[in-house]
Structure formats: structure tokens, C-alpha cells
């Protein structure tokens, strides 16, 4: 197997593996990384760090549409450089897969999202569509072999150009010695499988090219002294199942109609969620593992259901990542006020809990002595209000949560916002 | 079998039992309208439990699903009829936003509370809202949206309604006279309401129903 680096918070602070522009850049990087790490470790940073978690904000700020951002890597790169320069960022809370190339998505006819120019208007960000390919009756096949389900059911249903993957050989067929070979290779002779492979080749080349332009710009930004705070990414096992396979309605109905089966599937996915977090962090040589929480918020299930279907499996993921020396960054979308009591049972280790609508004094009170808290300047404020109001909100937040163990950040990843308001947020702690 | 059995079965989310009782009552030749009434009573309990945080969104959806199944049985027997409505609502997810789960819950809760709801769907252009308001003369225009892009679409929609005279000009210090605009969604706050020039905002469906009822009641008192 290919050997990958094993990043830790320590190796990240030291900037290991980064080819810095010059000595000054290295110094700046270390100061910023140390500040951020001190906040995470609750070891009194020199000041509160700011993480401008963003998706399309750099594009809007630079005056290009999301459609341009997804189609023109050079312009997206210019936007990223402009974004970093404008805000003199403590950390770059952005990563290339967050804005993929439209050409790559088109080559495989991805149907999981609408994106600008393909379903959404050019000025609009991409939007998740509810999946509908996995029915309530598909659980047996899914639980038996999730990988096989992904290849031969999920891919053809989710990617218009990959319908031929339904003919992909079952990998277990390889266990039959010489009698395996024909059954395994034969499907690759079929035109529909070949078409799928052609589409994958084209999409792969587009992704590689994107990485060469946009990914290289991110590397350049890091090498100029800005640590990147998004490394790996994974999901809570319940969200994985809901987001990708069953959809919001589907998984909510499963919660009511077939809870035992649902639980089995969620548990089946748990080792995968762990593996995904570890691998993506290692590939990017960056210990910060972003875990956006989608379907566990206060109103999305009862507290008992949270304690059975969501939290134990998520906790297992967090614990396993910590054991690998990684830093989970839990992004609790919506409100988590009812969940705080469960969260007090966190595994030991450095992690960030980023809240959107949760009352921040309640959050700090509940888990502030176990984890670093981040958040929660509302996007509504950043978009519709003025710098003074943003500054007041931000300062008040620092006062509420405390200067130690806090990262100032928008409530959710930024798209549209007034640049003067974003600057006011960033400057409020300087 | 007492009349309350169906109410109870729905309130307790006993799917099979609720459907079975409904079937039996229909087979016995009972008036489908009485069954519909019981479903509404049951749903009111579900709604109350949601507000009390004994029930959650999956429970609302599940109840909705049970009601849908039973309504399917009833529709075959129910003559087309005009129902008395509490009020009329034109509802939709605004332009450039395709999120429908919140909007659908709003539809469901308004419908069950006796409102006549015209659902325009998702990614609804400004002109479609204008046309629908003209056609249906609603008491309330309800705009749903999840993305920040929705803020501007909501604003444009409200402006277009103002320009065509379909709603009054925005009152900085209070509510518009007559037809009102309500906005809702996960990222909606009072700042957004002010930006959009809406009369009110809510972040969940039962809250929206409550607010609508308050408005209608206040309006009735004025008249």
C-alpha cells in the first residue's frame, strides 16, 4: 500500500512537509498555527484566532459568479489569493474539494447536486438534492456489502454517465482462482461499462487539472505563511446514510418504521466514517478533520433517538480520530442546545466544536472545559447588517465564551456576505 | 370502537392501527368527513406534542404519511366540496433555492390548521408569486428559503409585490395593513426580515401557523 504521512497537531504547527516561500513566511505560518493550536488546546493563545469558514465567499468577494468559480480554475485561484490578502487570514478554512470543477461533475453527469449552470442559476451556489435511489427495502443488500452497493447501485443511480457500473463485476467473484478471471474481466468488454470508464477517465482528468491549478494555489497560500485548517473530512455515520443514500425523509421514516435495521446500517457505516476521516487527513497531510453534522440537530430527532442512532456512533468516530492524533472539527449545524448534555461525555483530546444557532453561553458552559468552541457570527448579520453591528456581535461573543479555547468564525460556511462586514468580524479581535 | 380510537391511534403514531380503524369505519359506511375530522383532531395533538418537544420532525412527517395513506382511502369516496378556510396562504421556496423539506412542513401544518394553501413549489420566480397573489388574493404570502441567496430573492419578491400594489409599502415600525408577508428558513433572523421587508419570520412550521393566526385575529379585531 502507498504510504501516507501521519499528520498531528504538532507536525502541523511545525509546518512539516511545506516548502515555504521564505523564512519570513515560515515564521508567520508558525505564529498563526501556534495561535490556532493554542486555542484548540485551550492554552491561552496570544489572541482569539479567526477562521473565516467559506465556500463561495472568495468568489463573490472577488466579483466572479459561482458558475465562473466552478468553470475557471485560474479565476477561482485569483479569487482565493485576493481573499487571503484582503483579510490577512489566521488560517485558511477552505479546501479545494469544496469547489469542484464543473467539467468533472458534468463528465460523469453527477445528479446528487444542482450547481450553477447545471440546475442552479449562475449566481447561485450548489445545492444538495434529496437522494431517492435507495429504498426502504434495499437495506439488506446495503448492510450485506456496502462497497458492492456503492459500486453497482449507488454509482449508476447517482451519475448519469455511470449507468454501466450496474454491470461492474462483483469483486467477490475473484475468489474462484482461474475460474474467476473470465467472470471478472468480461463486463469490461461490454459497451455500457466501457462508456462508464470513458466518462470516469474524462472526469478524472478534469479533476486532476483542477487540482493542478486550484490545489496548487492553495499550496502557494500555505507556503506564504497561512496554515490551512481543513485537512480531512468525514461525516457522522447517520448523516452518511441520510445524506447519500436514504435522504432526509427516508431516514426519518426509517427511524419510525424500521429502527432496528436503521441502527444496523448506521453501525455498519461507522468503521467507514473513521477510515474516511483518517485517509483524507493523511492524503492532505493535515490533521484537522472537518465533520459537518447535518441531521442530528435539536428538532431533527428526539433526545432518545439522538442517544441511540446518532451520538454513540459519532462519538466512536471522534474517539478513533483522536487516537490517530487527528483533530476533529465538529460543525454542528442548526441548534444543538438539547444535545449539549450528551456532548458533555466527549472523549479526551483536542477538538473543535463549531456551532451555528446554539446559544454560545450554554455551549461554553456545557463543554468549554473539554473542547475548543467556535462560531457563530450569523450569516444573516454578515449579509444584511453593518460593520459596527458585526463588531459588537463578535466582541460580545468573545466575552461570552471567553478568550481561551475559542475560535471566532461565521455560523456556517460563508457564501454571500458584505466584505466590510467580514473584515469587521476579522478585525474585531485584533 | 369509540370515535376517539382513530384520534388516539394517530396521536400515538400507531400506523397500522390508524389505517385499519379508518378502513373499518369506511367499510361500515361512515361519513368520510367524520374520519377526516378525527384525523385533524389527532394531528392537533401531534402538533401540540411537537411544540412541547415531545415530538420531533420525524414524528410530524410520520403523522403526515399516515394521514396521507388514510386520505388516499377517503378521496375515493369524498365528493368535491368547498371547505371553510381560516385564511389563504400563497407559499413557495423563493428563486434560486431548491430546498423543499421546510416548505413542505409549512404546507402540511397550515393545511391541517384549516388554511387554504397554494403551494408554488421550489425555485419560484418573482413573477410567479406576483401572478399567484393576484389570482388567489391570499391573506398571507409565505416565502421559504435555506440559502443566503434566498435573502435577495425574498427581497425581490417583496419589492415586486409592493410595486404592483399587491401589498402595502413596508412599515418600519409595525405590520403592513392587510396582506402580510412571512419569511422562514434555517438562517432567517430578524435582520433578514428587516432586509427583506417582511412582516414577520419564523424558523419552524408550527411557529409560522401561530404567527399567521395572530395576524388574522388582529386583523379581524380591527375590522
Amino acid at each position: 500500500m502507498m504510504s501516507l504521512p501521519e499528520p498531528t497537531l504538532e507536525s502541523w504547527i511545525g509546518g512539516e512537509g511545506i516548502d515555504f516561500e521564505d523564512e519570513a513566511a515560515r515564521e508567520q505560518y508558525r505564529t498563526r498555527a501556534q495561535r490556532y493550536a493554542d486555542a484548540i488546546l485551550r492554552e491561552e493563545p496570544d489572541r482569539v484566532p479567526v477562521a473565516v469558514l467559506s465556500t463561495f465567499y472568495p468568489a463573490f468577494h472577488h466579483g466572479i459568479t459561482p458558475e465562473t468559480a466552478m468553470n475557471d480554475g485560474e479565476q477561482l485561484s485569483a479569487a482565493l489569493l485576493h481573499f487571503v490578502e484582503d483579510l490577512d487570514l489566521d488560517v485558511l478554512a477552505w479546501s479545494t474539494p469544496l469547489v469542484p470543477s464543473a467539467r468533472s461533475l458534468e463528465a460523469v453527469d453527477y445528479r446528487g447536486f444542482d450547481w450553477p449552470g447545471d440546475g442552479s442559476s449562475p449566481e447561485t451556489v450548489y445545492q444538495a438534492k434529496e437522494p431517492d435511489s435507495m429504498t426502504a427495502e434495499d437495506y439488506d443488500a446495503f448492510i450485506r456489502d456496502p462497497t458492492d452497493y456503492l459500486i453497482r447501485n449507488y454509482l449508476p443511480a447517482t451519475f448519469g454517465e455511470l449507468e454501466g457500473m450496474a454491470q461492474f463485476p462483483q469483486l467477490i467473484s475473484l475468489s474462484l482462482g482461474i475460474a474467476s478471471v473470465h467472470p471478472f474481466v468480461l463486463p469490461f468488454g461490454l459497451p455500457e461499462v466501457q462508456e462508464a470508464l470513458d466518462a470516469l477517465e474524462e472526469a478524472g482528468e478534469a479533476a486532476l487539472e483542477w487540482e493542478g491549478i486550484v490545489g496548487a494555489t492553495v499550496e502557494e497560500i500555505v507556503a506564504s505563511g497561512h496554515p490551512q485548517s481543513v485537512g480531512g473530512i468525514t461525516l457522522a455515520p447517520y448523516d452518511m446514510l441520510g445524506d447519500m443514500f436514504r435522504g432526509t425523509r427516508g431516514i426519518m421514516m426509517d427511524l419510525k418504521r424500521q429502527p432496528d435495521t436503521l441502527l444496523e446500517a448506521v453501525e455498519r457505516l461507522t468503521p467507514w466514517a473513521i477510515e474516511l476521516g483518517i485517509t483524507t487527513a493523511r492524503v492532505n497531510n493535515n490533521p484537522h478533520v472537518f465533520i459537518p453534522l447535518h441531521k442530528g440537530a435539536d428538532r431533527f430527532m428526539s433526545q432518545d433517538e439522538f442517544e441511540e442512532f446518532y451520538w454513540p456512533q459519532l462519538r466512536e468516530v471522534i474517539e478513533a480520530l483522536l487516537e490517530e492524533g487527528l483533530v476533529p472539527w465538529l460543525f454542528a449545524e442548526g441548534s444543538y442546545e438539547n444535545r449539549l448534555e450528551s456532548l458533555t461525555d466527549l472523549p479526551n483530546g483536542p477538538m473543535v466544536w463549531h456551532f451555528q444557532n446554539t446559544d454560545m453561553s450554554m455551549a461554553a458552559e456545557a463543554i468549554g472545559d473539554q473542547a475548543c468552541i467556535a462560531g457563530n457570527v450569523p450569516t444573516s448579520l454578515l449579509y444584511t447588517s453593518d460593520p459596527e453591528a458585526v463588531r459588537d456581535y463578535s466582541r460580545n461573543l468573545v466575552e461570552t465564551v471567553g478568550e481561551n479555547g475559542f475560535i471566532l468564525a461565521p455560523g456556517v460556511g460563508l457564501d454571500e456576505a458584505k466584505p466590510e462586514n467580514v473584515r469587521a468580524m476579522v478585525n474585531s479581535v485584533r | 370502537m369509540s370515535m376517539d380510537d382513530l384520534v388516539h391511534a394517530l396521536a400515538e403514531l400507531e400506523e397500522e392501527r390508524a389505517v385499519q380503524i379508518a378502513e373499518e369505519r369506511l367499510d361500515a359506511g361512515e361519513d368520510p368527513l367524520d374520519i377526516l375530522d378525527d384525523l385533524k383532531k389527532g394531528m392537533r395533538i401531534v402538533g401540540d406534542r411537537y411544540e412541547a418537544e415531545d415530538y420531533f420532525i420525524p414524528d410530524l412527517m410520520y403523522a403526515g404519511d399516515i394521514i396521507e395513506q388514510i386520505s388516499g382511502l377517503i378521496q375515493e369516496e369524498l365528493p368535491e366540496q368547498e371547505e371553510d378556510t381560516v385564511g389563504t396562504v400563497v407559499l413557495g421556496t423563493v428563486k434560486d433555492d431548491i430546498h423543499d423539506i421546510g416548505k413542505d412542513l409549512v404546507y402540511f401544518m397550515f393545511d391541517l390548521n384549516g388554511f387554504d394553501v397554494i403551494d408554488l413549489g421550489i425555485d419560484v420566480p418573482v413573477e410567479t408569486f406576483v401572478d399567484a397573489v393576484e389570482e388567489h388574493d391570499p391573506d398571507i404570502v409565505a416565502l421559504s428559503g435555506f440559502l443566503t441567496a434566498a435573502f435577495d430573492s425574498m427581497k425581490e419578491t417583496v419589492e415586486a409585490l409592493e410595486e404592483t400594489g399587491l401589498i402595502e409599502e413596508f412599515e418600519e415600525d409595525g405590520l403592513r395593513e392587510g396582506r402580510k408577508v412571512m419569511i422562514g428558513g434555517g438562517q432567517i433572523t430578524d435582520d433578514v426580515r428587516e432586509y427583506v421587508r417582511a412582516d414577520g419570520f419564523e424558523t419552524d412550521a408550527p411557529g409560522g401557523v401561530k404567527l399567521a393566526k395572530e395576524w388574522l385575529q388582529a386583523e379581524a379585531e380591527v375590522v
Side-chain angles (χ1 to χ4, degrees):
Chain A
M1 266 187 50
M2 192 171 70
S3 103
L4 291 169
E6 295 184 12
T8 60
L9 195 54
E10 206 168 277
S11 71
W12 181 77
I13 299 169
E16 280 174 29
I18 299 167
D19 187 11
F20 287 104
E21 221 168 65
D22 52 30
E23 208 39 48
R26 182 193 301 274
E27 274 309 303
Q28 276 207 319
Y29 175 99
R30 286 203 174 146
T31 305
R32 287 169 173 147
Q34 190 68 53
R35 175 181 301 139
Y36 192 75
D38 282 346
I40 291 177
L41 297 165
R42 288 169 289 121
E43 286 178 357
E44 305 196 350
D46 59 350
R47 66 163 169 79
V48 170
V50 189
V52 189
L53 179 65
S54 305
T55 313
F56 281 99
Y57 176 73
F60 282 113
H61 166 254
H62 191 57
I64 61 173
T65 63
E67 184 183 36
T68 303
M70 289 182 71
N71 281 282
D72 187 335
E74 298 289 352
Q75 291 205 53
L76 175 57
S77 290
L80 286 170
L81 292 168
H82 186 186
F83 167 61
V84 173
E85 190 206 335
D86 179 51
L87 297 171
D88 187 24
L89 293 175
D90 290 334
V91 289
L92 179 66
W94 193 91
S95 80
T96 313
L98 288 175
V99 180
S101 88
R103 198 155 68 81
S104 177
L105 302 179
E106 277 152 18
V108 278
D109 186 17
Y110 180 51
R111 293 169 174 172
F113 274 62
D114 278 348
W115 62 89
D118 193 319
S120 291
S121 80
E123 295 82 22
T124 308
V125 303
Y126 53 64
Q127 308 179 54
K129 294 198 281 195
E130 284 288 303
D132 58 5
S133 67
M134 179 174 164
T135 70
E137 287 75 45
D138 289 344
Y139 270 101
D140 282 349
F142 179 83
I143 290 167
R144 194 165 53 240
D145 187 347
T147 303
D148 189 62
Y149 189 86
L150 265 178
I151 294 174
R152 300 188 318 125
N153 292 73
Y154 175 79
L155 285 181
T158 313
F159 297 84
E161 292 294 330
L162 303 185
E163 279 168 13
M165 295 302 278
Q167 310 287 334
F168 203 81
Q170 267 185 305
L171 295 179
I172 194 70
S173 68
L174 282 168
S175 58
L176 302 173
I178 194 164
S180 304
V181 179
H182 263 202
F184 179 70
V185 299
L186 189 140
F188 296 96
L190 301 171
E192 56 268 39
V193 177
Q194 289 173 349
E195 278 162 27
L197 295 176
D198 287 346
L200 281 168
E201 189 179 324
E202 195 188 331
E205 283 169 5
L208 208 57
E209 191 188 311
W210 196 252
E211 202 50 47
I213 301 168
V214 183
T217 302
V218 169
E219 264 183 47
E220 190 187 316
I221 290 168
V222 174
S224 73
H226 299 274
Q228 189 180 16
S229 63
V230 189
I233 183 161
T234 189
L235 290 174
Y238 179 91
D239 286 337
M240 243 178 185
L241 188 64
D243 288 2
M244 247 174 93
F245 300 104
R246 287 292 287 136
T248 309
R249 282 191 187 86
I251 202 164
M252 283 181 173
M253 288 302 114
D254 297 337
L255 210 44
K256 297 289 145 194
R257 286 202 178 112
Q258 43 176 350
D260 297 341
T261 309
L262 172 63
L263 187 62
E264 200 184 339
V266 172
E267 284 173 352
R268 189 83 166 90
L269 281 173
T270 304
W272 276 27
I274 293 169
E275 181 69 28
L276 181 64
I278 295 172
T279 309
T280 48
R282 288 186 177 165
V283 165
N284 293 303
N285 191 20
N286 187 317
H288 300 282
V289 182
F290 188 52
I291 313 177
L293 307 181
H294 292 148
K295 294 178 164 65
D298 282 343
R299 290 279 182 157
F300 283 31
M301 58 175 76
S302 73
Q303 190 56 25
D304 286 347
E305 285 161 345
F306 183 75
E307 286 277 1
E308 189 177 357
F309 298 91
Y310 201 95
W311 176 235
Q313 302 80 9
L314 172 60
R315 191 182 182 285
E316 211 180 312
V317 173
I318 296 171
E319 196 164 29
L321 296 176
L322 290 171
E323 273 168 23
E324 294 296 324
L326 301 171
V327 185
W329 172 13
L330 289 307
F331 177 36
E333 297 186 37
S335 165
Y336 265 62
E337 279 158 29
N338 296 343
R339 312 302 189 209
L340 289 171
E341 205 188 315
S342 309
L343 303 193
T344 56
D345 175 37
L346 288 173
N348 275 326
M351 72 184 95
V352 181
W353 276 86
H354 187 147
F355 294 102
Q356 182 190 358
N357 290 337
T358 304
D359 180 298
M360 293 296 266
S361 67
M362 281 171 73
E365 165 112 38
I367 58 168
D369 57 349
Q370 299 178 69
C372 171
I373 308 251
N376 81 345
V377 184
T379 43
S380 54
L381 192 70
L382 291 165
Y383 191 35
T384 64
S385 196
D386 55 52
E388 201 181 330
V390 171
R391 191 173 55 239
D392 289 350
Y393 186 96
S394 306
R395 288 192 176 155
N396 190 18
L397 203 51
V398 174
E399 214 158 281
T400 303
V401 185
E403 289 191 15
N404 192 16
F406 178 57
I407 296 166
L408 182 65
V412 295
L414 278 189
D415 292 314
E416 287 155 286
K418 288 184 195 163
E420 63 268 30
N421 287 349
V422 180
R423 271 179 228 127
M425 175 182 73
V426 169
N427 290 330
S428 70
V429 291
R430 289 185 177 162
Chain B
M1 190 186 310
S2 91
M3 285 286 285
D4 293 340
D5 281 352
L6 181 59
V7 179
H8 183 261
L10 180 61
E12 295 298 320
L13 304 176
E14 292 169 2
E15 179 176 12
E16 278 173 37
R17 202 172 128 70
V19 174
Q20 189 196 339
I21 296 172
E23 274 171 350
E24 284 170 12
R25 284 172 56 175
L26 281 172
D27 289 346
E30 208 180 307
D31 185 348
L33 286 178
D34 291 341
I35 295 175
L36 215 54
D37 268 350
D38 279 357
L39 290 181
K40 285 184 180 168
K41 277 184 205 152
M43 193 57 209
R44 223 163 289 148
I45 300 173
V46 171
D48 289 346
R49 288 183 182 174
Y50 177 82
E51 280 200 60
E53 298 195 30
D54 292 326
Y55 277 173
F56 297 85
I57 294 173
D59 305 293
L60 285 185
M61 287 197 175
Y62 191 33
D65 211 77
I66 298 170
I67 290 176
E68 213 164 274
Q69 286 177 59
I70 296 175
S71 304
L73 301 173
I74 293 177
Q75 290 310 330
E76 296 159 17
E77 320 205 2
L78 206 59
E80 280 288 319
Q81 35 125 27
E82 288 284 316
E83 264 190 272
D84 287 343
T85 64
V86 179
T88 304
V89 180
V90 161
L91 166 73
T93 301
V94 295
K95 180 167 72 75
D96 288 340
D97 197 325
I98 62 167
H99 291 87
D100 62 354
I101 289 177
K103 189 264 297 167
D104 288 351
L105 274 175
V106 170
Y107 177 90
F108 178 62
M109 292 306 290
F110 270 97
D111 186 46
L112 275 157
N113 277 277
F115 286 82
D116 184 18
V117 193
I118 293 100
D119 183 357
L120 303 178
I122 56 171
D123 196 5
V124 178
V126 172
E127 313 81 68
T128 309
F129 272 111
V130 171
D131 293 347
V133 171
E134 222 156 34
E135 184 186 341
H136 299 285
D137 189 24
D139 303 287
I140 291 162
V141 183
L143 308 177
S144 173
F146 185 74
L147 305 171
T148 38
F151 303 167
D152 277 340
S153 300
M154 287 173 173
K155 193 173 188 223
E156 286 165 25
T157 309
V158 171
E159 278 167 2
L161 291 170
E162 283 179 339
E163 276 163 24
T164 45
L166 289 167
I167 53 173
E168 301 267 315
E169 285 293 315
F170 186 52
E171 302 261 350
E172 295 283 344
D173 311 318
L175 296 170
R176 282 184 175 83
E177 294 282 317
R179 182 173 296 137
K180 292 178 183 46
V181 179
M182 173 188 297
I183 60 173
Q187 298 197 65
I188 302 292
T189 61
D190 198 48
D191 294 313
V192 182
R193 181 199 62 78
E194 212 179 307
Y195 177 76
V196 166
R197 302 158 69 87
D199 298 287
F201 78 99
E202 269 301 332
T203 51
D204 80 356
V209 174
K210 217 180 200 177
L211 182 61
K213 284 184 172 171
E214 279 168 24
W215 283 349
L216 293 177
Q217 201 172 357
E219 196 80 2
E221 279 162 16
V222 172
V223 176

